[in-house]
Amino acid sequence: MSWCPSAAASQSLPSTSCRSIRSTLASSCWSSTCAPCASVNKYLNPLLAQFEDKVAIVKYQMNWPGNGDPYYTAEGGVRRTYYGVNAVPSAFANGEQYSFTQENLSSVGMNNLMDQPGFFDIINPEYKVDGRTVTVEADIKPLQSFAGSNVVAHIAVIEMTTSNNKTTNGETEFHYVMKKMLPNASGTTVTQLDKDATQKLYYTYEFPANATVEEYDDLAVVIWVQDVNSKRVYQSAWAVKKTILDVPYENDGSGIIAVYPNPANEFATVKFA
């Protein structure tokens, strides 16, 4: 969905006339050794689950306080430095600090983040998991010219629920845990910055045999486009899980080559040859 307001955009926003609805990106730094994290998650995790269809979510586990979370990664450390985080828990919504007020930990706070303008489209974001290998692809398209801007596209492979990283804060489950960033924590420089120009993202990564992934079927992918300097997130999206079905030539002739998402709760898309 997009619209073209007649009034000029404010100076704090890109100077554009056409925008799209922006999916909110919620990113945060946590640790299973952080007692306040458990207190906040008691309210935040159900709230995020409630808005999961509108909010793309990434949590970076930290290596402090104390010994830190066993699922800390160096890429999570890069994101911590980027946001200037010096205490956990810390959270950001579309690149801006998100405080843990009573309102923000309620549906009122989440609704305040909805229907904000976005300035990129993320088209057909998809991923598939084959054993330990994750493949991600999407097209990104600016809705205005960003010539001269420092814009990157980020991809985070997350595990929706983990438990083996429990330590000292009393939590036994953790959600939206970042496992890998593609190609790395620096992201992909967006070079196609002219209005309506399209840039393809395509990455394949094989997790090592000793990776901390608990259930490969529980992996998900979040994609977002961000201004490096201002940290403003222009758009974000959950990628759709795509499962390729082996359809022998001599079968019933249905021509089905993919069903996604899989598993599905209520609806699924069936792709034909």
Side-chain angles (χ1 to χ4, degrees), residues 126-271:
E126 296 180 339
Y127 75 104
K128 66 177 181 178
V129 180
D130 184 5
R132 300 197 312 269
T133 301
V134 179
T135 302
V136 183
E137 62 180 311
D139 293 324
I140 55 175
K141 181 177 76 172
L143 301 179
Q144 69 156 82
S145 174
F146 280 83
S149 299
N150 189 2
V151 180
V152 297
H154 287 290
I155 299 172
V157 181
I158 67 171
E159 190 163 6
M160 295 296 286
T161 303
T162 67
S163 60
N164 292 343
N165 55 323
K166 61 185 178 182
T167 55
T168 61
N169 76 346
E171 291 184 277
T172 58
E173 278 191 356
F174 306 85
H175 301 279
Y176 317 110
V177 176
M178 192 277 289
K179 295 293 183 175
K180 183 72 180 82
M181 299 194 72
L182 301 177
N184 51 48
S186 298
T188 301
T189 299
V190 179
T191 57
Q192 301 299 316
L193 294 172
D194 292 333
K195 181 178 182 293
D196 293 333
T198 301
Q199 181 169 335
K200 168 71 74 175
L201 301 177
Y202 184 92
Y203 291 101
T204 295
Y205 177 77
E206 182 179 7
F207 283 93
N210 63 347
T212 63
V213 177
E214 297 178 17
E215 298 288 344
Y216 282 91
D217 285 343
D218 199 35
L219 293 179
V221 173
V222 174
I223 302 172
W224 69 98
V225 180
Q226 187 168 30
D227 185 286
V228 173
N229 299 322
S230 70
K231 299 182 175 59
R232 182 183 299 278
V233 173
Y234 292 133
Q235 190 58 276
S236 67
W238 291 101
V240 175
K241 189 174 185 180
K242 182 178 180 181
T243 302
I244 302 298
L245 304 180
D246 292 325
V247 183
Y249 176 81
E250 62 270 19
N251 85 347
D252 63 3
S254 67
I256 297 174
I257 61 172
V259 178
Y260 52 91
N262 187 1
N265 291 326
E266 297 182 3
F267 303 100
T269 298
V270 179
K271 185 176 181 180

Side-chain angles (χ1 to χ4, degrees), residues 3-178:
W3 74 93
C4 299
S6 58
S10 70
Q11 293 182 354
S12 63
L13 295 172
S15 56
T16 182
S17 58
C18 295
R19 311 172 186 175
S20 68
I21 295 295
R22 179 175 60 188
S23 172
T24 300
L25 173 71
S27 58
S28 52
C29 294
W30 305 86
S31 176
S32 59
T33 60
C34 162
C37 294
S39 300
V40 172
N41 275 332
K42 179 181 179 180
Y43 301 97
L44 184 62
N45 282 337
L47 187 64
L48 291 174
Q50 179 185 345
F51 285 86
E52 208 171 77
D53 61 331
K54 298 180 180 178
V55 179
I57 309 159
V58 181
K59 289 189 176 184
Y60 307 103
Q61 307 305 109
M62 293 290 100
N63 60 346
W64 49 278
N67 292 328
D69 195 291
Y71 286 175
Y72 167 80
T73 69
E75 291 177 330
V78 171
R79 299 303 290 169
R80 170 208 169 181
T81 299
Y82 174 70
Y83 283 114
V85 171
N86 55 22
V88 288
S90 291
F92 300 84
N94 293 322
E96 299 180 355
Q97 187 84 39
Y98 192 75
S99 59
F100 299 120
T101 63
Q102 183 176 356
E103 179 176 294
N104 282 350
L105 290 175
S106 72
S107 58
V108 174
M110 295 301 292
N111 279 318
N112 288 338
L113 298 173
M114 301 298 112
D115 296 338
Q116 297 298 309
F119 297 90
F120 273 77
D121 277 342
I122 300 176
I123 304 167
N124 296 328
E126 296 180 339
Y127 75 104
K128 66 177 181 178
V129 180
D130 184 5
R132 300 197 312 269
T133 301
V134 179
T135 302
V136 183
E137 62 180 311
D139 293 324
I140 55 175
K141 181 177 76 172
L143 301 179
Q144 69 156 82
S145 174
F146 280 83
S149 299
N150 189 2
V151 180
V152 297
H154 287 290
I155 299 172
V157 181
I158 67 171
E159 190 163 6
M160 295 296 286
T161 303
T162 67
S163 60
N164 292 343
N165 55 323
K166 61 185 178 182
T167 55
T168 61
N169 76 346
E171 291 184 277
T172 58
E173 278 191 356
F174 306 85
H175 301 279
Y176 317 110
V177 176
M178 192 277 289

